[in-house]
């Protein structure tokens, strides 16, 4: 039986959001406005995307906007154009369409540890991920960064962009060659694939909430799925308030 939105909010109000392993799935008769209005009950503020506070993820044959497509969309962190990315993402399934599209989640914590501990990958500590926005503007974030609540190392990813060095004068002598740097990135992608922790096959009325700082996600599609439709809401703690766009 589906939870009401009010009951879903009650359940969330008892969840320990200070943990970094939040990946929750519930069946909900979801009312977006009620959810947005209720976030303040447990100290959260909704964060607007370029589509507003509630974004629709559905095929619209837009070659620029990944939200308006149903094909594969590689691992990414939501909201990279904010100085502090949204801490949490809620996805709600209005329709799974033909069922040929799922969402994969990778845990970035073991990947970040591998970078810090593996000499052959250590230069990735001195890189940044660059997301190329729909406005053709580059938005850069450190590849590795401390989790905003736990401080443990995690990382960002992008489905459209690149990784580039952030080299200081004392690191120039240790800057890898282009060939070595490409090899590092290939190994990084391999580590992300090895740390997929969930491949979620959607059902109608499912609400999936996850920690956007710990988990990166990807859309895996076996073909066009024009009837698949999800709603997406971003939110962060009131103390974070990710409302400063990077320009």
């Amino acid at each position: 039986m589906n939870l009401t939105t009010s009951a879903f909010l009650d359940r969330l109000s008892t969840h320990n959001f200070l943990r970094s392993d939040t990946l929750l799935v519930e069946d909900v008769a979801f009312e977006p406005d009620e959810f947005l209005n209720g976030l303040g009950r447990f100290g959260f503020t909704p964060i607007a995307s370029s589509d507003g506070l509630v974004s629709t993820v559905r095929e619209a044959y837009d070659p620029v906007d990944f939200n308006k497509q149903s094909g594969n969309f590689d691992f990414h962190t939501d909201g990279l154009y904010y100085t502090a990315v949204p801490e949490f993402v809620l996805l709600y399934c209005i329709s799974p369409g033909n069922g040929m599209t799922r969402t994969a989640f990778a845990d970035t914590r073991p990947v970040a540890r591998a970078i810090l501990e593996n000499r052959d990958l250590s230069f990735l500590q001195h890189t940044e991920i660059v997301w190329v926005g729909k406005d053709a503007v580059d938005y850069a974030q450190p590849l590795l960064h401390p989790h905003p609540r736990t401080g443990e190392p995690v990382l960002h990813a992008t489905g459209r962009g690149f990784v580039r060095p952030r080299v200081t004068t004392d690191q120039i002598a240790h800057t890898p060659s282009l060939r070595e740097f490409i090899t590092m990135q290939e190994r990084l992608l391999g580590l992300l694939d090895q740390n997929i922790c969930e491949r979620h096959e959607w059902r109608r009325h499912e609400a999936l909430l996850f920690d956007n700082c710990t988990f990166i996600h990807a859309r895996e599609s076996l073909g066009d799925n024009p009837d698949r439709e999800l709603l997406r809401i971003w939110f962060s703690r009131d103390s974070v308030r990710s409302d400063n766009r990077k320009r």
Side-chain angles (χ1 to χ4, degrees), residues 126-142:
H126 311 296
T127 61
E128 60 187 9
I129 196 84
V130 181
W131 179 65
V132 181
K134 293 181 287 186
D135 50 7
V137 173
D138 292 352
Y139 299 90
Q141 298 268 10

Side-chain angles (χ1 to χ4, degrees), residues 25 93 96 99-105 198-204 206 208 220 222 228:
V25 181
C93 183
M100 297 175 65
T101 308
R102 60 190 181 185
T103 303
F105 294 87
E198 168 86 9
R199 280 190 163 98
H200 189 72
E201 297 183 354
W202 289 95
R203 295 183 300 175
R204 192 179 179 200
E206 279 186 330
L208 190 154
E220 298 182 337
L222 298 176
R228 177 182 184 264

Side-chain angles (χ1 to χ4, degrees), residues 136-241:
V137 173
D138 292 352
Y139 299 90
Q141 298 268 10
L143 176 68
L144 260 67
H145 57 99
H147 193 283
R149 296 182 303 284
T150 68
E152 60 191 331
V154 288
L155 61 83
H156 291 309
T158 179
R160 178 176 59 215
F162 50 91
V163 176
R164 68 186 178 195
R166 305 177 75 183
V167 179
T168 59
T169 54
D170 60 333
Q171 295 163 349
I172 290 175
H174 306 290
T175 302
S177 68
L178 177 60
R179 192 182 302 275
E180 291 169 325
F181 190 55
I182 291 172
T183 299
M184 283 184 203
Q185 293 180 80
E186 290 174 344
R187 290 186 61 186
L188 171 62
L189 293 173
L191 283 168
L192 293 175
D193 288 338
Q194 291 169 27
N195 284 281
I196 293 174
C197 58
E198 168 86 9
R199 280 190 163 98
H200 189 72
E201 297 183 354
W202 289 95
R203 295 183 300 175
R204 192 179 179 200
H205 300 312
E206 279 186 330
L208 190 154
L209 189 152
F210 65 94
D211 181 337
N212 188 46
C213 301
T214 297
F215 300 101
I216 55 176
H217 60 293
R219 185 169 60 227
E220 298 182 337
S221 180
L222 298 176
D224 291 341
N225 194 355
D227 296 324
R228 177 182 184 264
E229 183 173 358
L230 307 179
L231 298 182
R232 185 192 68 191
I233 294 175
W234 295 343
F235 61 96
S236 293
R237 290 170 296 164
D238 289 343
S239 59
V240 174
R241 289 186 183 273

